[in-house]
């Protein structure tokens, strides 16, 4: 599959619906994402964020609708074509997905498995050029000195940085991140999002990240899309919104309890960690 970003569109979604039995996870969704955009998808748990992200690399086959990513018709794509798409699209998970008992460097190297012919076990089984590239990517996420430590000895924030370095080994043109900082403390969350933003800007990557921390999204995104019950209920440039407006998308029926972290402050308050806005 050759990456086709012609027309400047990275993602084109039309009428996307996904049902799981009687649950409609995505409901007739339309969304276009231009190349190079940093898009944050906001929404309560169960609003369809993961299903949307997973639809973009073919992990979730839609019930109806069109999904095109980097010029690939994801709905029609099979086998080799899907593997190639996933090679161009990095995926960052909430739970990092590292192999804890092997070294940080080997975890990073495993990101290059799509670029080499045979599975490799152990750092020395990889060609030297890839080992050097993996070290460079580790330096890029600020963890060069941790290369030979077991991955499970690192903090959560450090592990997510390793996962970012691993994704860079794919040389992706697009990154999908599904609540990448949901299991981190606020300080680590800000620093991981800041790092992701800087790298993606430097490499001109298109990024779609789900988040449920509104304050992080405000410091990070070009554009925000709010999901509720599988529908887009908000689509706005980040520069034209504020926390109070964004909190509206979390409001549910009267009488339902909102999670404590998502209550609306009386005065809009934007919490942006130092250095979070713009390239460092
Ligand atoms: N594999 C699945 N089987 C059945 N229901 C699912 C599955 N995946 C997601 N759902 C349902 O689809 C809805 C959207 O889920 P999800 O996309 O995971 O939301 P979010 O990521 O915003 O929390 C939820 O109601 C969820 O229970
Ligand atoms: Mg989810």
């Amino acid at each position: 599959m050759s990456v086709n970003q012609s027309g400047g569109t990275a993602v084109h979604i039309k009428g996307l619906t996904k049902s799981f039995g009687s649950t409609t996870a995505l409901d007739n969704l339309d969304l276009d994402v231009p190349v190079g955009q940093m898009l944050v998808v906001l929404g309560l748990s169960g609003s369809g964020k993961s299903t949307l992200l997973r639809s973009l690399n073919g992990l979730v086959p839609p019930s109806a609708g069109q999904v095109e990513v980097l010029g690939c018709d994801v709905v029609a794509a099979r086998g080799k074509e899907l593997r190639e798409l996933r090679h161009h699209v990095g995926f960052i998970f909430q739970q990092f997905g590292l192999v804890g008992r092997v070294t940080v460097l080997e975890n990073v190297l495993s990101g290059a498995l799509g670029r080499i012919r045979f599975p490799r076990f152990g750092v020395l089984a990889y060609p030297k050029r890839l080992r050097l590239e993996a070290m460079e990517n580790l330096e890029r996420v600020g963890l060069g000195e941790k290369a030979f430590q077991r991955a499970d000895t690192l903090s959560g924030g450090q592990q997510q940085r390793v996962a970012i370095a691993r994704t860079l080994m794919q040389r992706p043109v697009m990154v999908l991140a599904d609540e990448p900082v949901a299991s981190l403390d606020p300080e680590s969350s800000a620093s991981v999002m800041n790092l992701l933003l800087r790298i993606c800007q430097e490499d001109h990557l298109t990024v779609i990240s789900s988040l449920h921390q509104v304050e992080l999204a405000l410091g990070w995104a070009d554009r925000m899309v709010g999901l509720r019950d599988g529908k887009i209920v908000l689509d706005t440039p980040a520069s034209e919104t504020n926390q109070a407006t964004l909190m509206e998308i979390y409001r549910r029926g009267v009488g339902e309890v909102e999670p404590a972290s998502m209550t609306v402050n009386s005065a809009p308050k934007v919490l942006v960690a130092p250095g979070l806005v713009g390239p460092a």
Side-chain angles (χ1 to χ4, degrees):
M1 183 203 129
S2 60
V3 175
N4 180 359
Q5 304 198 89
S6 62
T9 301
V11 170
H12 172 68
I13 293 175
K14 185 86 192 148
L16 173 60
T17 294
K18 177 64 187 180
S19 307
F20 295 101
S22 59
T23 305
T24 305
L26 297 175
D27 190 357
N28 195 22
L29 216 109
D30 297 340
L31 182 69
D32 283 282
V33 183
V35 170
Q37 188 163 70
M38 310 252 169
L39 172 69
V40 162
V41 179
L42 290 165
L44 278 180
S45 178
S47 59
K49 303 181 298 296
S50 297
T51 306
L52 174 61
L53 288 173
R54 292 159 64 86
S55 301
L56 293 175
N57 70 353
L59 283 171
V60 170
S63 307
Q66 257 175 281
V67 181
E68 284 169 31
V69 176
L70 308 173
C72 172
D73 178 345
V74 181
V75 184
R78 296 283 176 272
K80 182 166 180 277
E81 208 182 346
L82 264 188
R83 278 199 302 278
E84 287 181 17
L85 175 71
R86 289 176 191 155
H87 178 61
H88 295 300
V89 179
F91 208 109
I92 293 173
F93 303 90
Q94 179 181 337
Q95 294 303 336
F96 327 130
L98 302 183
V99 181
R101 65 191 158 70
V102 308
T103 62
V104 165
L105 185 62
E106 188 169 355
N107 273 281
V108 175
L109 277 163
S110 71
L113 282 173
R115 288 167 54 192
I116 55 182
R117 205 176 290 226
F118 304 107
R120 310 283 167 139
F121 301 99
V123 166
L124 291 172
Y126 288 84
K128 188 175 177 194
R129 65 181 166 85
L130 288 180
R131 282 183 269 146
L132 291 174
E133 193 179 320
M135 276 309 298
E136 279 165 23
N137 283 326
L138 263 181
E139 301 284 353
R140 233 179 141 190
V141 301
L143 291 174
E145 81 285 5
K146 304 281 188 195
F148 299 103
Q149 242 170 269
R150 271 172 65 133
D152 58 10
T153 63
L154 270 52
S155 71
Q158 289 171 334
Q159 290 194 35
Q160 194 59 301
R161 286 165 175 260
V162 173
I164 292 170
R166 178 184 58 188
T167 298
L168 292 175
M169 291 302 288
Q170 286 179 231
R171 299 192 173 160
V173 296
M174 183 164 139
V175 171
L176 305 175
D178 194 4
E179 303 213 30
V181 297
S183 56
L184 304 181
D185 60 73
E187 200 178 323
S188 308
S189 296
S191 107
V192 166
M193 288 311 284
N194 191 25
L195 175 78
L196 193 57
L197 172 72
R198 180 167 56 77
I199 285 175
C200 293
Q201 280 179 337
E202 284 169 3
D203 293 1
H204 308 291
L205 307 181
T206 306
V207 189
I208 305 179
S209 177
S210 63
L211 278 179
H212 66 255
Q213 304 92 323
V214 165
E215 64 280 9
L216 275 179
L218 278 169
W220 197 78
D222 295 326
R223 173 186 177 193
M224 297 189 217
V225 161
L227 281 185
R228 186 165 57 203
D229 299 332
K231 293 190 187 68
I232 293 181
V233 292
L234 174 117
D235 186 350
T236 179
S239 56
E240 290 171 21
T241 191
N242 58 41
Q243 190 159 6
T245 308
L246 291 169
M247 285 304 183
E248 283 298 313
I249 67 173
Y250 289 120
R251 284 184 188 279
R252 310 220 105 193
V254 179
E256 283 189 47
V257 180
E258 292 176 348
S261 64
M262 293 176 179
T263 47
V264 182
N265 293 328
S266 49
K269 188 171 137 211
V270 182
L271 303 169
V272 180
L276 194 63
V277 182

